[in-house]
Amino acid sequence: MADWRVIEGGVTAPKGFRAAGIAAGLKPSGAPDLALIVSDTAAIAAGVFTTSQVRAACVDYCQQHLEARAAAQAILVNAGQANACTGPQGWQDAVTSAETLAQTLGIAVESVLVASTGVIGQPLNMAALTAGIPPLVAALSGTGSDAAAQAIVTTDLVPKSIALELEMDDRPVRVGGIAKGSGMIHPNMATLLAFVTCDATVSPPLWQAMLRRAADRSFNQITVDGDTSTNDSLLALANGQSRAVAITEPGPAADRLEAMLTAVCAHLAKAIARDGEGATCLLEVTATGAPDDAAARLVARTIAGSALTKAAIFGRDPNWGRIAAAAGRAGVPFELKNLRVQLGNFVLMEQGQPLPFDRAAASAYLKQASAGEYLKTDTVTIHVAIGSGPGQGTAWGCDLSYDYVRINAEYTT
């Protein structure tokens, strides 16, 4: 059982962090579009990024930064322009953004990470961005997480935020996070933009390893449309301000912190999947009986990403054949006689054979899920067993609706 609890505050819940979000004029709509997260002291930094060969300048900038120095103090995020496929000027704009923020905060430029989201091929509106940095810094607050979360969204319907706390050495240790993502979501790293803060003291290699594993169990297990972004970035800062004993090697303390970090990432990942463009429900797929956890995660992810399965769920059609077919093409060997498929409480297939079930009731289950209140009761669950192995894994997605096509057909027009 988890030994942490949910608290308020998002990325400003951990001690020593402030955040802000303002409208700087980067979005034509006039909505908030510039966010900042700052640690009061230098922090250990880790990151996981898109594996796409077509990457935004901010991705390359942050990767090079973290390879040279696993530390940072501030993260600047803009929405409106992705600064991807923008050539040498895009790189220079990322550098200038970091330099301008560093000068305003009075810290070294090496302490600044940057991230962008928006339309690919559009360079940053540098006049608006640089003019927005002084008021953004002035707006920094210990309660500014919600404003920052709102400022990074694009087609999202709602911002995503969470904070958790547990006791270590009789001291509260906290992890908080915010994220954005709704479309162009498919795991090839992480996917999306996500930012995590923590007030524990952790060695840099251990913090990076924790974040990579957390991403594999959360952001790398979500899919909306099968498209990976050019800007995918997951950045995490740990500043040690909790004053709990430093975690420098694997062990029980590291395991507890990693479990809480993973829970934060999983919450944000599920929120992104549920907020998929045009989605009416969250899809949670669990695979068991695989040779290992990685194989199980692959099976679950393949089913969650199946366009035919997603369309059937939107149509409230308990078409288990699409689920079985997706499991079969995941690339994990298994024998058909061992396949079991369950939708909610309805067992549709057992030992590779179809079972009689109440189709009307199963369809009603799907309809009830689609009518659920956002992020509360609107989850469709699928459980697939492929054998008797120890591996298990879960993936999250959403249904595929008519609105997904409409939203993306009109995205730049």
Side-chain angles (χ1 to χ4, degrees):
M1 183 177 180
D3 61 350
W4 57 76
R5 64 187 183 94
V6 178
I7 58 174
E8 298 294 324
V11 290
T12 53
K15 188 175 181 181
F17 284 95
R18 295 172 293 154
I22 66 168
L26 295 160
K27 290 181 180 177
S29 66
D33 50 24
L34 194 60
L36 177 62
I37 302 167
V38 174
S39 172
D40 293 339
T41 58
I44 299 303
V48 187
F49 304 93
T50 182
T51 58
S52 173
Q53 297 302 301
V54 179
R55 304 187 298 181
C58 56
V59 172
D60 290 333
Y61 181 89
C62 288
Q63 281 194 306
Q64 290 184 24
H65 173 111
L66 293 177
E67 287 171 1
R69 183 171 182 264
Q73 196 169 343
I75 303 172
L76 177 68
V77 193
N78 79 274
Q81 299 91 44
N83 196 22
C85 305
T86 49
Q89 187 60 51
W91 172 263
Q92 185 56 53
D93 287 346
V95 172
T96 300
S97 299
E99 290 175 342
T100 304
L101 178 64
Q103 292 169 4
T104 306
L105 287 172
I107 62 176
V109 68
E110 292 80 12
S111 295
V112 176
L113 299 172
V114 295
S116 300
T117 183
V119 179
I120 294 170
Q122 289 192 359
L124 295 177
N125 180 345
M126 290 301 292
L129 191 152
T130 55
I133 286 177
L136 180 67
V137 170
L140 281 169
S141 166
T143 58
S145 181
D146 287 348
Q150 186 64 59
I152 65 175
V153 303
T154 48
T155 59
D156 307 54
L157 296 177
V158 296
K160 290 89 178 169
S161 177
I162 184 68
L164 301 177
E165 176 187 83
L166 57 72
E167 296 292 323
M168 283 187 170
D169 306 312
D170 297 321
R171 293 179 180 273
V173 173
R174 297 172 175 177
V175 177
I178 60 174
K180 66 81 54 181
S182 183
M184 197 175 267
I185 300 295
H186 190 67
N188 263 318
M189 143 319 263
T191 285
L192 59 120
L193 296 183
F195 308 103
V196 174
T197 58
C198 175
D199 53 18
T201 299
V202 192
S203 67
L206 192 57
W207 187 233
Q208 179 64 51
M210 286 181 177
L211 191 68
R212 163 56 71 184
R213 288 190 293 265
D216 284 343
R217 290 168 171 79
S218 58
F219 296 119
N220 270 339
Q221 287 299 106
I222 61 173
T223 182
V224 169
D225 49 20
D227 277 295
T228 299
S229 172
T230 56
N231 292 53
D232 300 340
S233 300
L234 167 61
L235 298 172
L237 303 180
N239 67 5
Q241 292 303 296
S242 68
R243 304 306 180 195
V245 174
I247 301 173
T248 59
E249 58 186 23
D255 291 344
R256 292 180 68 206
L257 181 62
E258 182 173 336
M260 187 164 65
L261 172 65
T262 301
V264 165
C265 292
H267 175 94
L268 296 173
K270 287 190 284 185
I272 289 168
R274 172 56 186 90
D275 197 22
E277 290 170 341
T280 69
C281 63
L282 174 67
L283 173 60
E284 182 175 275
V285 182
T286 299
T288 59
D292 51 46
D293 288 352
R297 290 198 298 267
L298 178 57
V299 172
R301 194 164 67 239
T302 303
I303 296 169
S306 164
L308 289 177
T309 299
K310 290 154 60 71
I313 290 171
F314 175 68
R316 319 313 168 204
D317 178 10
N319 187 343
W320 60 264
R322 294 181 175 182
I323 300 170
R329 66 175 172 82
V332 176
F334 65 88
E335 294 188 32
L336 179 59
K337 67 180 182 180
N338 294 326
L339 183 60
R340 182 181 189 274
V341 177
Q342 181 173 335
L343 174 67
N345 292 325
F346 300 90
V347 180
L348 313 179
M349 187 182 200
E350 186 82 66
Q351 296 180 339
Q353 299 293 319
L355 296 178
F357 68 96
D358 188 335
R359 181 171 294 273
S363 181
Y365 163 71
L366 295 174
K367 291 178 182 177
Q368 182 181 25
S370 69
E373 187 178 350
Y374 183 84
L375 285 179
K376 291 185 179 179
T377 60
D378 56 354
T379 303
V380 170
T381 62
I382 294 174
H383 182 193
V384 172
I386 63 171
S388 57
Q392 57 182 326
T394 301
W396 300 274
C398 59
D399 57 343
L400 180 60
S401 75
Y402 310 130
D403 276 346
Y404 176 82
V405 175
R406 178 188 58 78
I407 290 167
N408 284 280
E410 300 171 358
Y411 184 59
T412 62
T413 56

